[in-house]
Amino acid sequence: MAKKSLIQREKKREKSKQKYQAFRKYLKEEMSETLSIDKKWEIQKQLQSLPRNSTPTCIHRRCFLTGRPRANYRDFNLSRHIPREMIHACLLFGVTKASW
């Protein structure tokens, strides 16, 4: 189980991302449309003035149940441990453990 503070930090980053997402998109569109270098510098300064945690790249996927930040399946939003435990407990039908 992940520390509660790390999970809360990720939630705070997600809120910050949602808050500044539209403005960031607007600035990036403006930058792609303008031809003036001076105007692009101004837009770049505005982008840099936004909070660092509001960037989409700062956000990590975490397991829905355990909060584990690594080895997550995107489709299920679970870490690799959870489906494995479910298979061993016979909760997922039709799945067998591979052995060779």
Side-chain angles (χ1 to χ4, degrees), residues 45-100:
K45 285 182 184 178
Q46 288 180 345
L47 274 172
Q48 287 179 350
S49 67
L50 293 176
R52 183 175 287 176
N53 282 336
S54 68
T55 60
T57 57
C58 285
I59 296 174
H60 300 282
R61 281 190 312 272
R62 289 191 172 265
C63 177
F64 179 70
L65 294 176
T66 61
R68 189 175 198 278
R70 297 182 178 167
N72 286 324
Y73 292 115
R74 289 182 187 177
D75 299 333
F76 310 115
N77 209 14
L78 296 171
S79 66
R80 63 183 171 89
H81 299 289
I82 305 301
R84 185 171 189 262
E85 290 173 1
M86 291 174 74
I87 290 168
H88 285 295
C90 297
L91 297 175
L92 293 177
F93 300 108
V95 181
T96 57
K97 184 179 174 194
S99 59
W100 53 86

Side-chain angles (χ1 to χ4, degrees), residues 22-34 43 47:
F23 187 58
R24 185 179 297 276
K25 184 178 179 183
Y26 167 74
L27 289 176
K28 289 193 175 197
E29 287 176 359
E30 283 286 320
M31 184 172 295
S32 67
E33 292 174 0
T34 59
I43 295 171
L47 274 172

